[in-house]
Amino acid sequence: MTASLFDWQNASWQSQLAHVIDNLDTLCKVAGLDKQALQEQYVLPKSFGLRVPHAFAVKVRGVDDPILRQILPTHEEQVVAPDFVLDPLGEAHKNPVRGMLHKYKSRVLLTLTGACAVHCRYCFRQHFDYGANLPKSSDQQAIGDYLKAHRDVDEVVLSGGDPLSLSNRRLGDWLDFFADTNLKTVRLHTRLPVVLPARIDQELLALFAKFPKKLVVVIHTNHSQELDDANAAAFLVLKQAGAVLLNQAVLLRGINDTVAAQVSLSHRLFDMGVLPYYLHLLDKVAGAAHFEVPKNEAVGLYWRLLEELSGYLVPKLVQEQAGHPHKTPVDLYQRSLVLG
Ligand SMILES: *Cc1c(COP(=O)(O)O)cnc(C)c1O
């Protein structure tokens, strides 16, 4: 009976990536959910459809679940909210070199791939036109020239998509290139160590271990239920290969918008050697209005976290504001809080 199900536990990460779940039937089988109970909420999206690795889907614990909510396309996405737009960060046409965003003084961001193992329903790049924005190895010359001309830039942030969905060969090619620049640090923003921990394979660890510059890996976890022993093992070997591990989360309605959820996430991360870095207010991307936690509520929650957690376990509460030269710290003393 289970013979038809993909034996993900014995599969390579490449095979797991090739077999990601992309339909409701399989999701329900793998996650042990009653399809009847989900049918009413589920809507087949025109683009950016259901996509989740088996290793992540098995962590869903029922139809009312913080992981399921992050991955299940629902009719709520079709609600049109006026200030929720296709390009909330104004990233289109901001590229000095193909695939490169230079918005903040000391660091540039490269979207190396549009591919990701998981489609998070609140993803702010879900409508992003990667087609014209992916750098190729042949763009390395131009990127190198740009870095030489901008000596303020000492860090490159690899984003996407997910930079770890690249093969080790292609990632290694980029790391070799960065090793030859004046950059001090390479930072990867990735959800793969969380949703597909098998991605952290020996080849990747060897690439990281021999990389001569600082390496920072910012994982994306929103809820402690996302993390188990396999993740802990992946984080440990990443640290052993020299990476500094941080987490960033998005504050999401019905997923992690309680003090208990945030406290539990910070403790779980710390147990696994990861420090909380950012807690983002939702980027107002079209289709994600139902995830929004109003700012005054976020601020109220945040004051409680300051009470409950050691300082180093409190992530910075920030929001992205198009056109600003940095992430903007949320004002904890805003009038709207006082006025309710
Ligand atoms: C978020 C972001 C960075 C990194 O910002 P940090 O505050 O250093 O984490 C860099 N470039 C762009 C375009 C970004 O959006």
Side-chain angles (χ1 to χ4, degrees), residues 91 101 103-104 107-109 157 187 277-278 320 327:
E91 291 184 332
L101 280 171
K103 294 202 296 193
Y104 305 160
R107 50 245 193 255
V108 294
L109 184 144
V157 178
R187 186 196 323 176
Y277 176 40
Y278 277 143
E320 291 253 18
K327 313 262 186 252

Side-chain angles (χ1 to χ4, degrees), residues 227-333:
L227 301 176
D228 65 12
D229 291 350
N231 303 109
F235 301 161
L236 180 65
V237 288
L238 280 170
K239 283 165 75 93
Q240 287 169 343
V244 170
L245 293 191
L246 304 170
N247 183 64
Q248 77 171 15
V250 182
L251 186 59
L252 297 163
R253 165 71 70 219
I255 293 170
N256 60 8
D257 57 339
T258 64
V259 176
Q262 288 295 330
V263 166
S264 161
L265 175 59
S266 277
H267 282 302
R268 179 71 64 93
L269 287 165
F270 187 63
D271 288 347
M272 297 187 175
V274 183
L275 282 176
Y277 176 40
Y278 277 143
L279 178 60
H280 284 266
L281 297 190
L282 183 72
D283 293 318
K284 297 192 172 193
V285 65
H290 56 293
F291 288 123
E292 192 185 23
V293 177
K295 198 189 281 187
N296 61 343
E297 206 181 309
V299 168
L301 174 82
Y302 195 73
W303 279 111
R304 296 280 313 281
L305 296 186
L306 289 167
E307 260 174 55
E308 297 277 334
L309 290 166
S310 301
Y312 56 86
L313 294 184
V314 184
K316 299 178 214 205
L317 184 66
V318 293
Q319 70 189 122
E320 291 253 18
Q321 287 184 313
H324 283 228
H326 45 69
K327 313 262 186 252
T328 308
V330 172
D331 177 8
L332 298 181
Y333 298 93

